[in-house]
Amino acid sequence: MRPELFGDSYDFVKRDLIHWLAPAEEWATHPMYFDEEPEPDFVAIHAAFLGIAVAEGNIADRDSVIAVGEHCPQHLLLDPDTGLWASTKRPNGGWDKHIRIGELAQIAQAPLRQDKLTLVFDQSYSRTGDKERRVLAWNKLERLRERRIYGVAYVSHAVFIWVSANTDTLTRATQWLLNCSHLPIHRFVGYGI
């Protein structure tokens, strides 16, 4: 998340997804905001807009993302600028704008997080159409499943992926989202598997 993007339509979608996935439970966010000179109060303002807490720990250090995520007892929104990185190659511009598959799996498997959701905003699709985004999201979900992490993706002009080590948690949250939102089932990848 970046201050100059705050208030775009994706923020409204993030807020709705959080409340549709687990409405009566607590959430926290790791904004993955790593500027050398961060804008004061931005993280707190963004979290307040979402209606959730900021994850505890050193959220200003990219190298601490896993530790912060592993120790978060709430459902967690990871909000990288670009999204979930599935390749083994280093992305252009480095890791600050991405969360890696292995990092996400490690966070979701942490003892405190066994029955929690981790939601990732994933914009790492280069101007592909819905069909291509669906295939790429499916591939990411498969890579996570290989690590015993289960997930569902919502695919539209952006992709949101939520995962858990607990299939019951994932199924219950996804069904709740479908019941509350009335979104069409064809927008979902990985549900019911």
Side-chain angles (χ1 to χ4, degrees):
M1 183 59 197
R2 304 203 49 76
E4 62 270 17
L5 300 174
F6 178 49
D8 65 14
S9 61
Y10 296 128
D11 284 328
F12 290 92
V13 176
K14 291 172 199 172
R15 186 172 63 183
D16 286 345
L17 282 174
I18 285 166
H19 296 292
W20 284 333
L21 284 167
E25 300 184 43
E26 290 189 20
W27 281 81
T29 182
H30 189 312
M32 298 190 69
Y33 173 50
F34 304 117
D35 280 4
E36 288 182 23
E37 296 181 27
E39 187 173 307
D41 302 322
F42 166 67
V43 170
I45 291 167
H46 187 252
F49 171 80
L50 295 173
I52 62 178
V54 176
E56 293 184 17
N58 187 0
I59 62 168
D61 177 20
R62 176 61 180 91
D63 293 334
S64 296
V65 169
I66 293 173
V68 170
E70 286 177 329
H71 293 97
C72 180
Q74 301 105 333
H75 298 298
L76 179 64
L77 167 65
L78 295 173
D79 201 357
D81 288 351
T82 304
L84 183 58
W85 190 257
S87 173
T88 56
K89 295 180 181 178
R90 183 181 173 92
N92 292 339
W95 295 112
D96 285 2
K97 296 178 184 243
H98 301 85
I99 184 81
R100 292 173 263 200
I101 291 272
E103 291 173 316
L104 179 57
Q106 194 170 337
I107 290 167
Q109 289 170 330
L112 280 176
R113 304 201 48 75
Q114 292 294 308
D115 63 345
K116 299 298 180 189
L117 297 171
T118 306
L119 173 64
V120 178
F121 177 44
D122 188 14
Q123 275 198 134
S124 61
Y125 306 90
S126 60
R127 301 187 188 266
T128 58
D130 273 3
K131 185 175 181 179
E132 292 86 358
R133 278 193 287 272
R134 292 179 67 78
V135 169
L136 292 169
W138 176 257
N139 290 339
K140 291 176 182 183
L141 294 174
E142 281 292 306
R143 296 265 316 273
L144 287 160
R145 197 169 288 115
E146 290 167 4
R147 296 169 183 255
R148 300 181 57 98
I149 299 300
Y150 308 96
V152 175
Y154 174 76
V155 179
S156 183
H157 57 289
V159 175
F160 290 87
I161 295 175
W162 52 96
V163 302
S164 180
N166 183 313
T167 57
D168 290 337
T169 297
L170 183 74
T171 301
R172 187 173 45 253
T174 305
Q175 190 58 55
W176 187 259
L177 182 150
L178 284 165
N179 292 343
C180 292
S181 69
H182 305 287
L183 290 167
I185 192 75
H186 76 272
R187 289 285 183 190
F188 293 82
V189 173
Y191 184 58
I193 293 172

